Amino acid sequence: MVLTVLQRLGRSVLVVLLVALGSVLLLSLAPGSAASVILGENATPEMIDELNKELGLDRPIWSQYLHWLADAVTGDFGTSPITHQPVTDAIIERLPVTIELAVLALAFSLFVAVILAIISASLAGTWVDRAITGLSSVFLSVPAFVAGPVLVYYGAVQLGWFPVTGWNRISEGLGPNLQSAILPVLAISLTEIASFHRLLRTDLVATLREDFVGAARAKGMGRGYVMLRHALRPSSFSLITLVGINLGRLIGGTVIVEALFTLPGLGQLVVSSINSRDVITVQGVVVFVAIVYVVVNMLVDLSYGWLDPRTRKVARA
Amino acid sequence: MNAQPEPVLAVRNLRAYIGTPRGAVRAVDDVSLHVGRAQALGVVGESGSGKSVMARAIMGLLPPRSACSGEVLFKGRDLLTLPRKERQEIWGKQIAMVFQDPGRSLNPVVRIERQLTEGMRKHLGIGKSEAHGRAVDLLREVGVPDPERRLRNYPHELSGGMRQRVMIATALACEPDLLIADEPTTALDVTVQRQILDLLRRVQRDRGMAMMLISHDLAVVAGRTDRVAVMYAGRLAETGTTRAIFAAPRHRYTHALLDATPSLDHQRHAPMRVIPGSLPDPTSPPPGCRFAPRCAHTTDACVDPGPRMTSADGVAAGMDHLIACVNPVAAPAAADGAAPASVGAGASPNTGLAKGGDLVGR
Ligand SMILES: Nc1ncnc2c1ncn2[C@@H]1O[C@H](COP(=O)(O)OP(=O)(O)OP(=O)(O)O)[C@@H](O)[C@H]1O
Ligand SMILES: [Mg+2]
């Protein structure tokens, strides 16, 4: 047990390091540099070289990476040469927005998807099921950059219920905060609902054919009870996996939605840093997201043990 | 037992067709049978003959896209037409079922305690601690050691035999009047099979409960049931007292099945004989007697007009031994031949089995 945990941790650290290295390499391939962005179009090559030296950007990539790494393990992700803001501060500043979006969107999607899946699985094959499943395939293929503008048009422009863009922090009150969150959350949720619904419906239909469901019915238990107490949990293993993956992805920044609604989240931070060749910030955010990913995946694995007692035994053995 | 009081369960002209892409599977096609109070009925037939589908029809567990007609009278009330709410008061409380594979009929992610007590908490309206106490007693009754600990376990922590004992305890929880056991031992080790079967018979007698014991193996029902119903391809072939049928099977199919059943003295020496051929296509069964294509005694009359359910010993002798066979096996000589009707009248459930007895040893 201890060994497997250590193995997992080791693997996770490796993943994070590789992700950071990958992001550095990718950015080094892109033309331009932070220095040229800072100095503007009129800078001479000499000026750029000098600034690069000052910023430590003249050293080879691997050396930059190792230096950065040495600081990173102490929790110092460096300071942005462009904004002069410590990367950690920048992340902390943007994080609440992204987390709120991700958590609200996932919670809402799960809630709706579970209800829809229960309805369509218990009426599998009927027109109700076909209608819900059909709708969810449609939404599955509607990307956020299409859903977003449509939602803005109806929710903000036509009805005027929600702001068109922008973000109200929680400090400005929960009401205004939620008001500015609803449209982005909806834009994210449509595809999430659809994919969750599909997955859970399939697994539920399979579970409902199991003998133990028949046995529960043969005990005279009602349909709702059998569904909630017997069928739902053994059907949710793959759903939990997907939720974990999507949570990681959403924390990584719902770039498109944040751009559409001009929300000050992590996605926007990444986009602006890439545009200004701010390698330090990009690296910091990417590593942070990788860590979140790894942690979420561990939580997902732990939840298997809670969901399925059979896996507990394996872990102990 | 011939002057029948109302049976606990009377199935009349039951048809259960299951829709498949290849057409309707006529899994149960016009079957009538009954189980008397405190009586054990064995339902026997080859794999695919429709035994499970019949049990599922009684329990309202047919797959979607299946059609059911006829009557399933439980204490005079038709389960096929009763409103769902009322049926759910009967299932689990008055009729309980034990399934074939205890590894699959227990929910893997729910503790034994909940699975064992949820039914009685619903039907008997008792609280958690009372249900717990009853559960412990029930597990003791069915021979589960250390019941307190077992209740906290998950199904995978129990052996197959223990799981089936838990299933039986669960079925007994609300003191049902009828227990349906659908091949309760096919998924178990040979050594455990017999223990479970004997346990079923014991609780059935101790509690004065009716039981329907389903098996593809005649030897399983031989010493443990009072009456037997033999099914073939969705139809009833023969029904009568266990004793009469083992002593003198009249239907050609029962006869062949009995011949193919290894008894204790044959088991080690003779290779098992099987009935040549296989079940007909359940979506388009042959006209007339469905066993005719495999039967060595088929005549034209078997196909047209085909057999009807009739008394094996003439109407005068009573309607307890019925066969659907045009050319039945000849009735045995008088000494033995009078047996079915008269034994039927005198037999208590405890009557040993003259010939069936030696079949039990499997
Ligand atoms: N869910 C189902 N869908 C389609 N056909 C089915 C289904 N269940 C049973 N059948 C068919 O119904 C017929 C009767 O099956 P059933 O399970 O009742 O047989 P059985 O007598 O219980 O056999 P066994 O001894 O193998 O349990 C078979 O032809 C089988 O293929
Ligand atoms: Mg079966």
Side-chain angles (χ1 to χ4, degrees):
Chain A
M1 183 70 191
V2 176
L3 194 72
T4 52
V5 167
L6 282 180
Q7 271 177 344
R8 287 215 51 147
L9 270 176
R11 236 181 302 152
S12 309
V13 170
L14 195 67
V15 167
V16 171
L17 291 181
L18 285 176
V19 166
L21 185 60
S23 68
V24 172
L25 290 176
L26 268 179
L27 270 177
S28 74
L29 291 177
S33 70
S36 60
V37 173
I38 294 171
L39 295 172
E41 288 178 4
N42 302 329
T44 61
E46 292 78 42
M47 290 163 71
I48 292 180
D49 279 349
E50 196 163 325
L51 187 57
N52 268 337
K53 194 168 281 174
E54 210 172 291
L55 296 172
L57 297 178
D58 58 329
R59 285 170 291 161
I61 301 251
W62 59 267
S63 147
Q64 285 181 41
Y65 177 64
L66 287 181
H67 268 93
W68 174 85
L69 204 60
D71 286 341
V73 290
T74 69
D76 175 8
F77 285 113
T79 301
S80 160
I82 312 273
T83 61
H84 303 294
Q85 192 184 25
V87 175
T88 316
D89 291 359
I91 292 177
I92 289 176
E93 194 184 301
R94 312 295 183 105
L95 200 55
V97 178
T98 300
I99 287 193
E100 186 179 341
L101 272 185
V103 169
L104 279 182
L106 277 185
F108 176 70
S109 310
L110 265 181
F111 180 74
V112 176
V114 167
I115 292 178
L116 289 181
I118 285 178
I119 294 175
S120 53
S122 31
L123 298 173
T126 64
W127 67 267
V128 180
D129 172 39
R130 263 178 273 142
I132 295 178
T133 310
L135 253 169
S136 97
S137 338
V138 171
F139 282 127
L140 203 57
S141 47
V142 175
F145 63 81
V146 175
V150 173
L151 285 168
V152 168
Y153 180 74
Y154 284 105
V157 180
Q158 291 282 59
L159 297 170
W161 289 350
F162 311 106
V164 177
T165 58
W167 182 256
N168 302 319
R169 298 198 166 268
I170 295 195
S171 52
E172 295 164 54
L174 191 63
N177 170 254
L178 286 180
Q179 218 178 13
S180 62
I182 283 180
L183 287 185
V185 163
L186 276 183
I188 299 172
S189 296
L190 288 182
T191 44
E192 305 286 313
I193 291 174
S195 59
F196 291 164
H197 166 261
R198 281 196 146 194
L199 195 65
L200 184 58
R201 179 199 172 275
T202 311
D203 287 354
L204 267 179
V205 167
T207 305
L208 289 177
R209 290 203 197 104
E210 295 279 348
D211 273 358
F212 62 78
V213 168
R217 287 198 188 128
K219 282 182 230 169
M221 310 315 290
R223 291 208 285 184
Y225 180 94
V226 172
M227 179 61 85
L228 295 177
R229 288 294 200 149
H230 284 283
L232 197 54
R233 209 162 112 186
S235 308
S236 48
F237 304 142
S238 10
L239 181 68
I240 291 291
T241 314
L242 186 64
V243 169
I245 293 172
N246 288 3
L247 180 62
R249 209 194 61 222
L250 289 179
I251 299 276
T254 46
V255 177
I256 291 167
V257 171
E258 284 180 21
L260 263 174
F261 293 91
T262 56
L263 307 177
L266 274 186
Q268 280 227 327
L269 181 62
V270 175
V271 171
S272 61
S273 313
I274 291 176
N275 285 337
S276 57
R277 301 289 175 272
D278 185 349
V279 181
I280 297 288
T281 305
V282 173
Q283 221 165 322
V285 175
V286 166
V287 166
F288 173 77
V289 170
I291 291 173
V292 169
Y293 229 99
V294 164
V295 170
V296 167
N297 268 308
M298 279 195 172
L299 290 180
V300 166
D301 279 6
L302 285 180
S303 76
Y304 289 145
W306 171 74
L307 277 173
D308 188 353
R310 287 166 298 185
T311 58
R312 278 175 232 170
K313 181 120 184 229
V314 176
R316 239 183 273 136
Chain B
M1 210 169 278
N2 254 359
Q4 302 249 336
E6 186 192 31
V8 174
L9 180 79
V11 172
R12 294 212 186 123
N13 307 104
L14 182 67
R15 286 193 160 83
Y17 292 3
I18 301 171
T20 68
R22 283 168 291 106
V25 169
R26 304 195 194 177
V28 177
D29 210 355
D30 197 9
V31 167
S32 301
L33 49 78
H34 59 90
V35 192
R37 274 173 209 282
Q39 201 179 56
L41 171 76
V43 177
V44 182
E46 276 168 284
S47 188
S49 53
K51 309 176 300 281
S52 295
V53 172
M54 180 177 70
R56 290 179 162 266
I58 296 170
M59 298 306 287
L61 291 177
L62 287 180
R65 273 193 280 280
S66 47
C68 207
S69 70
E71 285 176 311
V72 175
L73 297 171
F74 179 75
K75 294 184 176 172
R77 296 202 289 169
D78 186 0
L79 293 182
L80 296 185
T81 55
L82 218 56
R84 173 186 293 277
K85 272 268 172 291
E86 284 175 54
R87 281 185 290 172
Q88 280 177 352
E89 288 303 310
I90 293 178
W91 292 325
K93 186 176 186 191
Q94 301 185 59
I95 311 180
M97 179 154 170
V98 175
F99 292 78
Q100 180 162 344
D101 185 351
R104 303 180 36 160
S105 47
L106 283 164
N107 190 331
V109 305
V110 178
R111 281 182 212 279
I112 299 294
E113 171 146 17
R114 234 243 330 271
Q115 308 199 48
L116 179 43
T117 56
E118 62 189 0
M120 54 180 157
R121 290 186 60 188
K122 178 192 171 190
H123 294 299
L124 311 179
I126 57 179
K128 208 171 178 162
S129 60
E130 195 182 344
H132 177 85
R134 284 183 65 113
V136 170
D137 293 343
L138 281 164
L139 287 183
R140 274 212 190 92
E141 181 182 349
V142 299
V144 173
D146 200 359
E148 291 279 359
R149 190 163 68 89
R150 288 308 176 202
L151 284 176
R152 286 192 301 274
N153 283 156
Y154 287 95
H156 71 270
E157 296 167 303
L158 272 58
S159 69
M162 281 303 145
R163 283 183 214 149
Q164 197 60 302
R165 285 175 198 269
V166 167
M167 287 306 291
I168 293 172
T170 310
L172 297 176
C174 299
E175 304 188 339
D177 299 309
L178 172 66
L179 177 70
I180 300 179
D182 184 3
E183 311 221 17
T185 56
T186 358
L188 301 179
D189 286 349
V190 186
T191 46
V192 187
Q193 291 188 355
R194 198 175 165 152
Q195 296 170 9
I196 296 290
L197 290 167
D198 292 340
L199 168 70
L200 279 171
R201 177 59 156 168
R202 196 192 80 218
V203 292
Q204 182 254 326
R205 278 190 182 154
D206 287 355
R207 290 170 169 250
M209 175 179 72
M211 175 165 79
M212 183 186 279
L213 179 60
I214 298 175
S215 176
H216 58 260
D217 189 349
L218 270 168
V220 162
V221 303
R224 302 179 179 95
T225 56
D226 308 302
R227 295 175 64 254
V228 172
V230 180
M231 282 181 74
Y232 184 82
R235 289 257 166 93
L236 198 63
E238 180 164 9
T239 171
T241 61
T242 309
R243 181 172 184 175
I245 285 184
F246 277 91
R250 302 293 311 281
H251 196 288
R252 293 285 171 187
Y253 174 64
T254 318
H255 189 79
L257 200 60
L258 209 52
D259 256 3
T261 306
S263 69
L264 199 61
D265 9 317
H266 289 150
Q267 209 170 352
R268 288 202 192 85
H269 321 295
M272 200 169 111
R273 283 201 281 157
V274 290
I275 308 173
S278 56
L279 283 171
D281 174 6
T283 55
S284 55
C289 177
R290 292 183 180 177
F291 185 57
R294 292 169 78 181
C295 184
H297 307 270
T298 306
T299 58
D300 289 348
C302 294
V303 179
D304 185 26
R308 288 180 43 234
M309 221 43 187
T310 47
S311 169
D313 312 294
V315 180
M319 296 296 283
D320 199 48
H321 190 168
L322 300 175
I323 50 170
C325 190
V326 175
N327 302 308
V329 182
D336 221 14
S342 56
V343 167
S348 79
N350 306 348
T351 314
L353 289 158
K355 187 176 170 190
D358 66 315
L359 287 167
V360 185
R362 287 204 63 198

